Amino acid sequence: MQATELLHGEIFTVYDQQGDWIWGQAESDLYVGYLFYMNAGPIFSTDATVSALMAPVFSEADLKKPLYDKLPLNSRVKTMGLDGVYVNMGYGFVHQRHLAPQTQRDFVTVAQRFLGVPYVWGGKTQAGLDCSGLVQTSLQAVGKVAPRDTDMMEKTLGDAVTLSDVRRGDLIFWKGHMGVMLDTRSLLHANAFHMEVAIEPLAEAMARIEKIAGPVTSIKRL
């Protein structure tokens, strides 16, 4: 099954190969797993980061030209100069606004941009993401490193707070699930009930999730 996703420009250290699959580790979050060998290539230097949720890569420096690819938020690219307002990457062109420096420092605002994106187990892009993928991706977009899985985040991120003190940006954890608070009452999370990134009252989410995964295990403040 898909455990996570590697983005364009990420470094993946290969330790072994078994047929068409290579076993290795992602440098960004130390996650290990198998990758189809055709999706790997030599390391290349990068000097820019995609800031759009999904940046189109045009075949020419023209928004009406066919697309070669689409690069999700946090992808790393190598720039080779400008052609008007388009950045030449050697194999295609990205609009410079999609590589603009990330000025947003509130990861919750980044997470809100994914509202309505489909729930996909192991995903962490606009094409689909899971609960921990949403939080990890949003934190990465504002320069904060986080582990990939819910249990790892619960163990390593932030300081514990009580439910009565909950506020925007607090991470809510259940066994195998997590979300982030938009304010004192509203929870944002990628979940398999709505099958998308959704906002709902925390009290309603707690009542429903408790029947499946048990009560809230912790609340962490970054």
Side-chain angles (χ1 to χ4, degrees):
M1 66 180 181
Q2 175 173 281
T4 189
E5 291 182 289
L6 293 174
L7 305 182
H8 184 274
E10 281 199 67
I11 294 177
F12 183 75
T13 301
V14 177
Y15 299 130
D16 190 22
Q17 181 168 355
Q18 299 180 18
D20 292 337
W21 295 89
I22 51 179
W23 168 261
Q25 186 172 41
E27 183 178 274
S28 60
D29 57 12
L30 304 182
Y31 216 73
V32 296
Y34 287 96
L35 176 70
F36 188 59
Y37 83 101
M38 288 291 290
N39 292 329
I43 293 176
F44 61 92
S45 61
T46 61
D47 56 10
T49 304
V50 171
S51 57
L53 285 186
M54 193 70 77
V57 180
F58 298 94
S59 55
E60 298 180 40
D62 185 337
L63 59 82
K64 295 182 180 180
K65 296 300 182 181
L67 299 184
Y68 276 153
D69 200 359
K70 294 180 181 178
L71 298 179
L73 177 68
N74 297 326
S75 297
R76 294 287 298 168
V77 302
K78 173 64 176 177
T79 63
M80 302 177 66
L82 279 175
D83 187 339
V85 294
Y86 290 87
V87 176
N88 183 358
M89 299 192 305
Y91 78 98
F93 298 81
V94 175
H95 197 286
Q96 62 182 358
R97 290 188 182 276
H98 292 158
L99 299 178
Q102 179 56 259
T103 58
Q104 177 58 250
R105 307 314 298 170
D106 176 20
F107 83 96
V108 183
T109 299
V110 177
Q112 285 180 272
R113 295 170 64 189
F114 288 95
L115 186 63
V117 167
Y119 179 87
V120 172
W121 181 272
K124 61 176 189 177
T125 75
Q126 192 191 24
L129 34 65
D130 60 22
C131 63
S132 55
L134 172 65
V135 175
Q136 185 196 47
T137 295
S138 302
L139 287 170
Q140 184 180 353
V142 299
K144 297 180 180 179
V145 177
R148 179 60 178 91
D149 290 344
T150 300
D151 59 341
M152 298 176 185
M153 290 194 196
E154 186 173 15
K155 291 178 181 179
T156 61
L157 296 183
D159 300 310
V161 296
T162 62
L163 183 61
S164 61
D165 188 39
V166 71
R167 70 187 188 196
R168 180 180 176 85
D170 289 347
L171 301 178
I172 312 293
F173 292 93
W174 291 265
K175 183 178 180 180
H177 187 61
M178 69 181 302
V180 58
M181 296 301 296
L182 294 181
D183 49 41
T184 59
R185 297 182 178 181
S186 302
L187 177 74
L188 176 72
H189 60 148
N191 67 92
F193 177 76
H194 296 95
M195 280 305 292
E196 65 180 17
V197 178
I199 298 172
E200 62 179 317
L202 175 61
E204 291 184 12
M206 289 175 61
R208 186 183 69 253
I209 296 171
E210 185 171 2
K211 297 175 183 178
I212 303 171
V216 169
T217 54
S218 68
I219 304 173
K220 294 293 195 71
R221 180 167 297 161
L222 302 179

